[in-house]
Amino acid sequence: MENETNYDFEQEHSGEESKALQAIETAIKLPFVKVDRDEFLVKAFSKNKKDIRKLIEEGPTALYSKKELDKIADRTINSAVLKSTSISFASGLPGGLAMGATIPADMAQFYGFALKLAQEISYIYGHNDLFDDNNELTEESKNELIIFLGVMLGVTAAGSTIRILSKHASKQALTSIPKKTLTKTIYYPILKKVLKTFGVKLTKDTFAKGFSKAIPIVGGAVSGGLNYASLKPMAKKLKNEFSLTINYTEKDLRKDLEIIEGQGFKISEEVDNSL
């Protein structure tokens, strides 16, 4: 995904947006969240070995078909969900992870798994490394992860944004849409919508998960069950959106711009006149 954005995480936000940012920052700091792109790709494609050097340098889309990528993404999702669910079950039992000040520990853990899985799915479909040369997650990459999370949470315009900004579509899309125009009219507003949607969901989920822990043994089962029921469909949504970036066409671009406008995001006349 190629974009020029300096979305300020320190600017004023609504209560929901602030809570969402807090949860994201907490989840990102968990030790298991960071994904080493090269190491992951070698492992994920170990059963479909081809040119390892090309896999790392050019990405899986240079070597594998859409069908093969979809299959590997499904396998990655299933494996991640099983690990996440078992850990969530353990934290739901008495003596499990302690509750955070405002965000339950297992909820931070759940979204940590979601962000980890989002990285893995993006790498399968050819996304560049989200970490810089200093092995740090840049502000731009955090923004991209928020958009990924938006797709997982069902924010329609977030899926269109992923497709428009994917590296498979960017050359074509950006011949019609200036980067600065795209950032101002689409990217920033959608980031805010995702944060608000996430913040509202956090408030509801905090109550639901907190209630499940009030019933000791059953609480663990409920926590694990909620985890499985939520994470897998969330990951599938993101996988499907990334899958659609393969063989992206001018027709697809027009359709995504219509979807974005249909969600109430006004695209400037500069963009409309260029298409």
Side-chain angles (χ1 to χ4, degrees), residues 169-181:
S170 59
K171 290 182 180 179
Q172 171 181 291
L174 294 175
T175 58
S176 301
I177 309 174
K179 282 188 178 182
K180 291 183 179 179
T181 300

Side-chain angles (χ1 to χ4, degrees), residues 41-60:
L41 288 178
V42 171
K43 183 177 180 180
F45 289 85
S46 61
K47 295 182 180 180
N48 308 71
K49 286 186 178 179
K50 291 188 179 181
D51 187 334
I52 299 299
R53 182 191 61 77
K54 191 171 184 178
L55 174 69
I56 299 302
E57 294 181 359
E58 300 182 33

Side-chain angles (χ1 to χ4, degrees), residues 103-204:
I103 302 170
D106 71 333
M107 185 174 295
Q109 186 173 254
F110 171 82
Y111 284 106
F113 267 105
L115 291 173
K116 179 178 185 291
L117 192 47
Q119 294 170 70
E120 293 174 345
I121 293 170
S122 73
Y123 293 152
I124 288 171
Y125 289 99
H127 198 292
N128 294 327
D129 200 333
L130 287 160
F131 291 83
D132 62 20
D133 294 337
N134 296 318
N135 219 20
E136 296 291 335
L137 188 66
T138 64
E139 287 301 306
E140 179 178 340
S141 293
K142 286 181 184 178
N143 293 344
E144 289 183 326
L145 283 174
I146 290 173
I147 295 294
F148 297 169
L149 188 59
V151 174
M152 298 173 99
L153 295 174
V155 179
T156 303
S160 294
T161 303
I162 279 182
R163 291 192 291 274
I164 291 173
L165 295 175
S166 70
K167 77 175 188 178
H168 307 295
S170 59
K171 290 182 180 179
Q172 171 181 291
L174 294 175
T175 58
S176 301
I177 309 174
K179 282 188 178 182
K180 291 183 179 179
T181 300
L182 181 61
T183 298
K184 291 178 181 178
T185 62
I186 299 176
Y187 201 76
Y188 288 170
I190 290 175
L191 275 172
K192 288 185 70 66
K193 180 174 182 179
V194 170
L195 287 173
K196 186 171 183 179
T197 300
F198 183 32
V200 171
K201 180 172 176 58
L202 276 174
T203 300
K204 294 179 180 178

